[in-house]
Amino acid sequence: MATTTARPAARPTIRQSRLMINNEWVDASDGGTFDTLNPATGDVLAKVAHATAKDVDAAVRTARKALETGVWSRMDAADRGRLMFKLADRIEQHATELAALESVNSGKTIRDSRGDVEGVVNTLRYYAGWADKIEGKTVPVRGNFLSYTLRQPVGVVGQIIPWNFPLLMLAWKWGPALACGNTIVMKTAEQTPLSAMRVAELAVEVGIPPGVINLLAGLGETTGQAMVVHPGIDKIAFTGHVDTARLIQKNAAPTLKRMTFELGGKSPNVVFGDADLDNAVEGAFHAIYFHCGQCCTAGSRLFVERKVHKEFVQRLAAEAKKRRIGDPMDEDTEQGPQVSQEQLDKILGYVASGQKQGAKLIVGGQRVGERGFFVSPTIFDDVRDDMEIAQDEIFGPVVGVLPFDSMDEVVERANSTYYGLAAGVWTQDVNKAHTFAKRVKAGTVWVNCYHVVDTTTPFGGFKLSGQGRENGEAALDHYTETKTVTVKLG
Ligand code: NAI
Ligand code: MG
């Protein structure tokens, strides 16, 4: 594999590693901490406060108080929007620092981190614009009555986010929650708590009132679990693994919280023989290897029409061999490390499984270097639908190539998964493009492109890929309760 020698971006200072409750930075109630690492080296970056159930309770109380006093929800909606615009501006001013922090803690390349920070700013601005445009309806009813609806905040929302897009997931969850007047208790992923802490500091600086945003760090089975069972939390918004979502749903049942889930996938990316192959190769490459395959929408099942299949695999493999792997802080690096030893082991386990079940390893499949958690871009050919590598979310740079012959066949096979987050199709025939888009079971379909996600368009999954939608106007439904008011006239 090629490695880079470019000059690295400046290392960030780690200013904050505690919990933010009521706009104050505090240690965990029992003084506990956990280590957060630099995945490029495996070195400890910081000891981070590990929120206990007592800390969760304190955060929920302050969020509840902020909700009930109306300091946020009853503020003029336009002023709420203005504060969100201010937060977006402040984040934009700190983009360089935030991107560096994101890369050091998550392993994301510095270029990708810059893109993510831009996405954060766009998302907060988009939802800032919504704050004073969330309207109810007047509804015609039988009899001499006036009925109308009010859209009010759900309440205190618990938000549990993953490590693959730490800042972007924060923005996707804060944006609609804040615009609709909710108050927040967020838990970051244990692998990547640092960038969110810096953003929370900026939120205090721009004047978000105390209690509106509370930021916790900690493990899922402790801090996350305490949030899920807490009766003072009205809703959980979660992004992560489907098995975690199942556990959350079960543990939240006694309090019947509202739930939204975004749960990854095993997305089919379908290349028809008539596609512009240069674009399709580049697109299929990006679809799987973007952010080391640690992407919920990763195009991990690559269906290629049989007549171009051999050539396509060769060209993809040639690209994979050129991939520049290295320090995510180097400007020229195209692929950084996986986030953790756990993910590295999981990926190598699937490589072994693919080989054992008879798929053909074309390139990659190995750890790169001895420090950090790097894996080479991996291609399996002659993959069958029933193999583990074709069914499970690997969340690494591993693509399985599956040849196909017809539209009906590929639609059926694309849909033969319990996931349904995203899909791609490459063709120059509009008929094929729209037929596939209509028939595939996925929340997002890309035609002759991949991973194009905008804050304005609804995002989420069919089937086990999730419940509800984030982004766009759609997210507002999940952060408001609808109230009907009926008035007797005359
Ligand atoms: P995870 O689902 O365990 O973690 C995601 C978040 O949930 C983290 O903040 C974690 O602390 C929290 N969490 C974990 N257990 C919890 C519990 N019992 N109650 C409340 N919160 C809990 O995912 P993990 O272990 O980091 O990664 C495992 C796999 O999950 C990955 O290999 C990948 O397949 C998938 N994943 C999918 C993501 C997506 O974007 N849809 C993001 C991250 C992981
Ligand atoms: Mg887990």
Side-chain angles (χ1 to χ4, degrees):
M1 294 303 143
T3 49
T4 84
T5 52
R7 255 168 58 82
R11 303 267 150 190
T13 310
I14 296 162
R15 296 154 171 269
Q16 195 50 260
S17 57
R18 295 188 294 169
L19 315 172
M20 193 181 86
I21 300 174
N22 206 26
N23 282 12
E24 280 162 17
W25 292 92
V26 296
D27 289 318
S29 60
D30 65 355
T33 60
F34 64 94
D35 291 341
T36 192
L37 310 183
N38 176 349
T41 60
D43 297 340
V44 176
L45 282 172
K47 288 202 176 300
V48 175
H50 185 170
T52 61
K54 203 171 151 197
D55 298 320
V56 169
D57 188 55
V60 173
R61 281 168 195 277
T62 166
R64 174 64 53 192
K65 191 167 159 220
L67 183 87
E68 303 302 347
T69 58
V71 59
W72 188 246
S73 61
R74 292 200 293 272
M75 176 187 283
D76 279 349
D79 291 338
R80 217 161 54 220
R82 276 176 58 195
L83 274 176
M84 292 175 69
F85 278 120
K86 266 176 92 173
L87 177 58
D89 290 347
R90 185 64 64 104
I91 290 171
E92 195 170 48
Q93 287 154 11
H94 288 265
T96 303
E97 176 199 352
L98 286 168
L101 206 47
E102 192 79 324
S103 283
V104 161
N105 200 189
S106 73
K108 198 175 270 281
T109 67
I110 190 70
R111 280 193 279 176
D112 284 352
S113 292
R114 285 188 198 119
D116 282 11
V117 175
E118 222 177 283
V120 168
V121 171
N122 291 342
T123 303
L124 291 175
R125 286 192 181 138
Y126 172 76
Y127 283 107
W130 267 114
D132 58 357
K133 297 169 194 70
I134 299 165
E135 299 168 348
K137 289 180 174 171
T138 51
V139 189
V141 288
R142 286 172 205 281
N144 197 18
F145 300 98
L146 165 67
S147 284
Y148 62 92
T149 58
L150 294 173
R151 295 180 66 191
Q152 299 187 322
V154 171
V156 174
V157 299
Q159 305 183 320
I160 300 177
I161 57 172
W163 43 263
N164 53 342
F165 293 85
L167 282 177
L168 201 58
M169 291 302 101
L170 172 149
W172 284 20
K173 290 190 169 41
W174 282 13
L178 293 174
C180 297
N182 299 276
T183 59
I184 294 172
V185 177
M186 170 172 276
K187 186 192 88 63
T188 47
E190 50 269 45
Q191 297 83 354
T192 55
L194 298 178
S195 55
M197 290 171 161
R198 187 70 188 114
V199 169
E201 286 185 325
L202 301 179
V204 175
E205 283 171 27
V206 300
I208 303 283
V212 174
I213 296 171
N214 300 277
L215 186 71
L216 304 178
L219 308 190
E221 52 271 36
T222 52
T223 317
Q225 161 75 4
M227 288 169 64
V228 167
V229 299
H230 200 297
I233 291 185
D234 299 296
K235 169 200 162 87
I236 292 281
F238 168 81
T239 300
H241 196 271
V242 61
D243 288 341
T244 314
R246 288 183 168 118
L247 196 60
I248 289 176
Q249 202 163 48
K250 191 169 136 226
N251 291 337
T255 53
L256 220 63
K257 292 177 170 58
R258 281 91 183 100
M259 297 270 167
T260 44
F261 291 134
E262 197 275 276
L263 308 176
K266 191 71 191 175
S267 297
N269 191 19
V270 174
V271 180
F272 282 97
D274 68 44
D276 175 329
L277 284 195
D278 290 342
N279 287 342
V281 169
E282 199 183 311
F285 192 87
H286 179 60
I288 182 63
Y289 299 124
F290 173 55
H291 191 26
C292 310
Q294 301 173 131
C295 209
C296 48
T297 48
S300 52
R301 285 188 300 150
L302 178 57
F303 290 94
V304 183
E305 194 166 350
R306 201 173 306 274
K307 59 188 173 200
V308 294
H309 160 241
K310 287 284 172 236
E311 179 194 346
F312 201 89
V313 172
Q314 266 173 17
R315 290 178 63 175
L316 201 65
E319 290 302 313
K321 286 178 191 154
K322 286 193 263 174
R323 187 79 159 161
R324 284 196 299 268
I325 299 177
D327 184 348
M329 297 299 274
D330 282 358
E331 295 289 343
D332 284 351
T333 292
E334 294 169 333
Q335 183 177 316
Q338 310 305 130
V339 77
S340 64
Q341 181 74 47
E342 185 186 347
Q343 290 299 309
L344 172 72
D345 294 343
K346 174 179 167 181
I347 294 161
L348 296 180
Y350 276 110
V351 170
S353 158
Q355 287 177 298
K356 195 165 148 228
Q357 295 191 323
K360 193 158 129 202
L361 182 63
I362 302 292
V363 65
Q366 274 152 4
R367 181 174 186 180
V368 178
E370 276 147 31
R371 278 184 93 209
F373 314 123
F374 298 87
V375 181
S376 51
T378 304
I379 300 173
F380 274 109
D381 196 8
D382 296 336
V383 174
R384 286 193 323 268
D385 297 344
D386 63 348
M387 290 177 178
E388 267 176 4
I389 58 166
Q391 298 204 331
D392 297 353
E393 182 178 58
I394 300 175
F395 234 58
V398 181
V399 69
V401 183
L402 306 105
F404 75 92
D405 293 296
S406 75
M407 173 67 82
D408 283 344
E409 174 205 336
V410 80
V411 167
E412 196 202 316
R413 291 173 65 197
N415 287 337
S416 70
T417 163
Y418 52 84
Y419 284 119
L421 190 62
V425 58
W426 301 81
T427 175
Q428 304 198 52
D429 179 338
V430 284
N431 182 31
K432 281 184 193 156
H434 293 293
T435 300
F436 179 81
K438 195 167 175 183
R439 290 177 61 189
V440 71
K441 290 185 177 133
T444 294
V445 184
W446 288 297
V447 179
N448 295 330
C449 59
Y450 209 93
H451 288 317
V452 181
V453 173
D454 197 284
T455 181
T456 58
T457 49
F459 181 87
F462 282 34
K463 302 194 272 181
L464 296 198
S465 284
Q467 273 176 31
R469 291 293 180 270
E470 298 190 283
N471 285 344
E473 188 175 357
L476 304 174
D477 290 343
H478 302 291
Y479 283 96
T480 48
E481 293 281 7
T482 301
K483 179 184 284 178
T484 300
V485 181
T486 296
V487 186
K488 188 169 191 289
L489 299 175

